[in-house]
């Protein structure tokens, strides 16, 4: 069953999407928002691809690997951007993104 | 922070969406598929509203309660339908749906 | 067939989601981004609820009206916010949001 | 602006998603549902990737081409499956899928 097979990757994607949504909202309340624009932009995309990756894995889709490959790339880029900011929501998000990137990459391998 | 405040409800919605996706795919492989049509139909909707509920909660949206109210209704209906089928994927999905319905209802209350 | 019955509302929701996505991205590139934070925040939510509304209408869901009711509220709020900004992407988005709010309200009535 | 640049492809993806949602629901009401299982399964995935493709194009994402490449593949497969069924909702869906596959492929090229 796909949801057993992909359990760890599904959980990492779900957690990553939640931290990205939270990071985007929190960035939009930061006083130095102009420095956060790229972070918000990537958070939005990262949350979206993570949720699609979960759906495709849970559905046992033959395209799950293709989505997870792309998800790994986007998570890596988003995590790298978030990691440059000191705000706690950015640091937490960076960690969730990098973990998700790693698990998606392993899933594809 | 919204993701702490709504932690349990977010997790229940994420789990419910995954079990609904899995149940839909599994139902489509059942020999008695004609009995499973309503289950598939509700699984699809339930997974979608659960993912939106998570997104709105994680974003700290002022509409999170409205979505969770509706999510509770759809999860309840989907769980009731799934609960009528003996297949393991249906029983597991029913449990995830009912738990999600309960936590969404509590969140709104 | 639901997609004929809801044709105009589906199209308005799809157009609204696209303008909201575009407005969010464009706002994030504005020099006065701190004034645009609320606009971005609402654009994200509005695009998400519009896409769910389309999916539920196209699926002929018994919950389509509930989603469209909520979609009307979010579109109205997002359109009002966008309408306060002079940028072309905001003005176009405001127009798409208000049209969508109006069609969703009519669909529910 | 991305929404002008990708206008035709965005519209084709939105239309494809709507026809896939409609086809899935309609297939689930067919008397010979067991022949329609694969159609429903692909419709669900196709609607999801089409909506993500629209979102990424409308956001002007640097990953829009990657998503559209995958969207072209899924639309092609879904359209080929739908095209094998005589039901009007399948034939209409096949046409929407093939048009979307073609426009996504052109967008990537």
């Amino acid at each position: 069953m796909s949801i057993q097979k992909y359990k760890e990757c599904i959980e990492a994607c779900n957690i990553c999407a939640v931290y990205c949504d939270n990071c985007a909202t929190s960035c939009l309340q930061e006083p130095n928002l102009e420095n956060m624009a790229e972070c918000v932009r990537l958070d939005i995309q990262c949350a979206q691809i993570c949720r699609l990756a979960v759906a495709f894995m849970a559905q046992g889709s033959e395209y799950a690997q293709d989505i997870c490959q792309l998800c790994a790339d986007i998570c890596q880029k988003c995590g790298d951007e978030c990691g440059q900011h000191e705000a706690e929501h950015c640091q937490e998000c960076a960690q969730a993104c990098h973990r998700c990137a790693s698990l998606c990459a392993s899933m594809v391998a």
Side-chain angles (χ1 to χ4, degrees), chain A:
Chain A
M1 203 160 65
S2 305
I3 56 173
Q4 293 308 321
K5 185 176 163 193
Y6 297 135
K7 191 171 189 299
E8 220 180 355
C9 192
I10 285 175
E11 285 174 0
C13 287
N14 270 333
I15 289 170
C16 186
V18 165
Y19 277 100
C20 283
D21 280 334
N22 178 67
C23 186
T25 300
S26 302
C27 282
L28 289 169
Q29 297 165 355
E30 292 284 345
N32 59 337
L33 176 52
E34 67 277 15
N35 296 336
M36 299 304 203
E38 180 68 358
C39 200
V40 175
R41 193 183 72 80
L42 289 169
D43 282 337
I44 298 171
Q45 293 180 45
C46 194
Q48 290 176 324
I49 190 82
C50 282
R51 293 210 167 94
L52 191 71
V54 170
F56 273 45
M57 284 188 277
Q59 291 168 37
S61 168
E62 63 271 47
Y63 298 103
Q65 290 202 317
D66 295 306
I67 288 286
C68 283
Q69 174 76 69
L70 185 53
C71 191
D73 291 347
I74 298 178
C75 286
Q76 186 64 45
K77 186 166 183 176
C78 187
D80 290 350
E81 174 63 31
C82 289
Q84 293 175 25
H85 304 284
E86 288 181 11
E88 195 185 1
H89 56 80
C90 285
Q91 288 295 320
E92 289 174 340
C93 189
Q95 209 175 340
C97 287
H98 284 143
R99 179 171 157 74
C100 190
S102 166
L103 281 163
C104 282
S106 304
M107 182 280 208
V108 173

